[in-house]
Amino acid sequence: MLTVSSFTQSLSSNPVFSKTLSTAYERLSSGLRINSAVDDSAGLQISNRLTSESIAKNQLRRNLNDGISYAQIAEGGLQESADILQRMRQLAMQSQNGINTDADRRALDKEFQQLKNALNGIAYNTEAFNRLPLLGDNDLLSDNVSSIGDTFVKGIPTRLNSGLRSIAYIPAGSTNISINIDSFSLDDDLQVFTTSGRHLVGTPLSDNVWSINGVGSGSDIKSLLFLTQEGYTPTASYDSSSLITNGSGTINGTTFTFSGDQHPGVTTETLTIDNTNEPLIISVVGQGVFDATVDWDTLGSPGSGGNSFEAGPVDITATNSLSEGTDYINLAKTPVGLSDLNMVESDVLTFENAEVSLQQIDDALAYVSESRAFYGAKMNQMESALKLNDRMHEGLMAARSQILDTDFAEETAKSTQAQIVEQASISVRVQAKSSDEQVLGLLGSIGDR
């Protein structure tokens, strides 16, 4: 026979109410409706797939933003190239004026040639994500300047033109290098730099050998010499705090012994280097020719001195279509080096040359403008893909939330209901126990009689 006590005991210990309350607490504390596969096996599978898609769309957003940044950097370099070309066009038009003398045109051409160097520098120094978007693949060398062992034959004089350029690099790990140059009574000076732009050996920028090449400050040498094609890093900046102009000195564990600038008078300069802990770039700055005799004991790895950059176009992920594959937005290169613009030999020294240069500049300006429009269109395309991705992601997250997230109102109601039932059962048990005691008390009093 079912008594009040046995009924209340079974009610309070019913596992259904305990599980309901435990599940409600778990969902309220975690914020998730599905905390294990037993809660909703099908829902768990669907929510995991939606979570995977959500992660992919978050990454797609970052990919598109990277692509927009790449295009902005490239377009910024093109804008500066256009400004330089406009000034070059102005100089070409000025040179065409019949009032100018040959001396006037030579003066105009000096600025014209320096602007050409700056234009080329933009192509080699506009770097984004280890890529050079304004440099043609033919200009992108795996070792940007040849090793000294490739440029010179050991112990045999080699004749080269001096100027504002690098002639070779000494790889890290080389030992006992000696360099002897003979500039044949002209002022051609030996210079040694690190790939980051530290001037270790040579003549200071105040020397005439720099000014005749258009260099008067650290910013000049950065824009005219510190090019990635010359082996320098894109962030190279001029630093002469450790410059050795004569005698011996040790820098970063490397000892240099330099004869110093021997002009005027003796035009032979000598340099010895005991070992190299980092790649060093050699230049001979001047406006003549020189003979260089180079010797060494060992040379480091041939590939340890140049800067490696990725070639080819850039493909930016535009979609994450699981069924049809991923689409891409292609950002092709837009080379604006002097060779790409057909302006390597351009000058304004004569009326005829200025006329030819003017046509070359007009063609270059049309190409640069077209390239800027290309990047603008690509940025708009990526912005559109970004907006579409965000809208799809918003709907995806809403669907995932309906499956996975806790309905706080429902779970709160369930937990409250389970708590009320539990409290009621406890109250009934207390009352039932009290009734049992009263009955026993009456029976006991009857027995006493």
Side-chain angles (χ1 to χ4, degrees):
M1 181 176 182
L2 182 64
T3 64
V4 173
S5 177
S6 62
F7 170 76
T8 56
Q9 185 175 2
S10 64
L11 183 65
S12 62
S13 61
N14 192 327
V16 174
F17 290 102
S18 298
K19 186 176 185 303
T20 300
L21 188 59
S22 175
T23 301
Y25 282 153
E26 184 179 25
R27 289 175 175 176
L28 289 171
S29 61
S30 67
L32 299 176
R33 187 182 70 85
I34 304 174
N35 291 283
S36 64
V38 72
D39 294 333
D40 185 349
S41 57
L44 179 65
Q45 181 180 0
I46 296 171
S47 66
N48 283 339
R49 177 173 55 82
L50 295 178
T51 298
S52 178
E53 291 187 40
S54 173
I55 293 173
K57 291 193 179 299
N58 278 329
Q59 185 59 52
L60 182 60
R61 159 174 273 277
R62 288 193 288 269
N63 291 353
L64 287 167
N65 280 323
D66 287 342
I68 291 171
S69 298
Y70 179 92
Q72 288 174 335
I73 292 170
E75 198 273 332
L78 289 172
Q79 180 178 358
E80 186 61 28
S81 297
D83 292 342
I84 291 175
L85 286 168
Q86 293 287 8
R87 174 57 182 163
M88 292 174 68
R89 192 178 193 280
Q90 183 180 2
L91 292 171
M93 291 184 64
Q94 186 176 355
S95 179
Q96 284 185 310
N97 193 358
I99 199 172
N100 291 311
T101 64
D102 290 342
D104 294 334
R105 288 192 172 93
R106 284 195 296 271
L108 292 172
D109 190 63
K110 284 185 178 180
E111 181 181 353
F112 189 87
Q113 296 302 321
Q114 296 307 314
L115 289 172
K116 281 173 57 180
N117 287 336
L119 186 64
N120 214 36
I122 291 173
Y124 278 96
N125 286 298
T126 302
E127 186 266 338
F129 302 100
N130 203 43
R131 283 174 167 80
L132 302 174
L134 305 186
L135 193 64
D137 290 342
N138 292 333
D139 299 319
L140 183 57
L141 307 178
S142 58
D143 296 318
N144 296 289
V145 60
S146 297
S147 168
I148 197 168
D150 298 325
T151 305
F152 302 100
V153 178
K154 188 175 181 180
I156 299 177
T158 302
R159 182 160 297 181
L160 296 172
N161 293 321
S162 61
L164 197 62
R165 66 185 184 89
S166 302
I167 60 172
Y169 75 83
I170 303 174
S174 304
T175 60
N176 294 329
I177 303 101
S178 65
I179 304 173
N180 182 299
I181 69 165
D182 184 354
S183 58
F184 307 108
S185 300
L186 295 176
D187 193 11
D188 297 317
D189 291 344
L190 185 64
Q191 316 288 339
V192 180
F193 294 90
T194 66
T195 57
S196 63
R198 291 180 65 197
H199 196 179
L200 303 182
V201 176
T203 50
L205 296 189
S206 58
D207 191 89
N208 181 64
V209 74
W210 290 106
S211 61
I212 62 175
N213 282 283
V215 174
S217 64
S219 60
D220 292 334
I221 198 171
K222 176 177 174 62
S223 62
L224 300 177
L225 180 62
F226 291 174
L227 310 177
T228 55
Q229 77 183 97
E230 306 284 355
Y232 293 92
T233 63
T235 57
S237 60
Y238 184 73
D239 178 5
S240 61
S241 58
S242 303
L243 179 62
I244 299 172
T245 58
N246 191 12
S248 297
T250 301
I251 304 171
N252 192 27
T254 299
T255 299
F256 302 89
T257 303
F258 181 46
S259 64
D261 183 5
Q262 300 298 301
H263 181 82
V266 180
T267 57
T268 300
E269 297 180 6
T270 60
L271 170 68
T272 61
I273 306 172
D274 66 342
N275 63 81
T276 56
N277 297 319
E278 60 181 325
L280 302 177
I281 299 177
I282 308 298
S283 296
V284 177
V285 179
Q287 287 190 337
V289 296
F290 64 93
D291 276 354
T293 304
V294 181
D295 203 350
W296 60 84
D297 282 354
T298 61
L299 292 178
S301 172
S304 63
N307 299 303
S308 296
F309 293 91
E310 295 289 337
V314 177
D315 291 328
I316 305 299
T317 48
T319 64
N320 179 48
S321 179
L322 299 179
S323 58
E324 300 177 1
T326 302
D327 293 332
Y328 296 93
I329 296 174
N330 181 267
L331 298 179
K333 283 192 169 189
T334 52
V336 290
L338 291 177
S339 59
D340 303 302
L341 299 178
N342 193 29
M343 295 182 62
V344 175
E345 303 296 333
S346 60
D347 64 68
V348 293
L349 290 173
T350 66
F351 178 90
E352 293 77 12
N353 289 358
E355 186 174 12
V356 172
S357 295
L358 192 60
Q359 182 60 54
Q360 292 173 337
I361 292 170
D362 285 342
D363 293 341
L365 278 169
Y367 171 73
V368 169
S369 298
E370 181 182 348
S371 299
R372 291 185 65 187
F374 165 79
Y375 284 113
K378 291 296 182 179
M379 280 188 277
N380 288 335
Q381 184 181 1
M382 286 184 284
E383 289 282 1
S384 177
L386 195 60
K387 292 177 182 177
L388 176 61
N389 178 70
D390 287 346
R391 290 194 182 98
M392 293 175 64
H393 191 210
E394 183 179 356
L396 178 70
M397 291 304 294
R400 177 180 177 274
S401 177
Q402 289 182 355
I403 296 172
L404 192 61
D405 291 349
T406 296
D407 185 335
F408 278 87
E410 180 182 354
E411 296 303 327
T412 301
K414 286 182 179 180
S415 65
T416 302
Q417 180 186 19
Q419 287 176 338
I420 292 172
V421 170
E422 186 176 39
Q423 293 296 329
S425 68
I426 293 173
S427 177
V428 171
R429 284 192 65 186
V430 171
Q431 293 179 8
K433 185 176 180 180
S434 175
S435 299
D436 292 343
E437 290 175 350
Q438 290 177 2
V439 171
L440 290 173
L442 290 174
L443 292 174
S445 62
I446 294 173
D448 291 341
R449 296 176 184 180

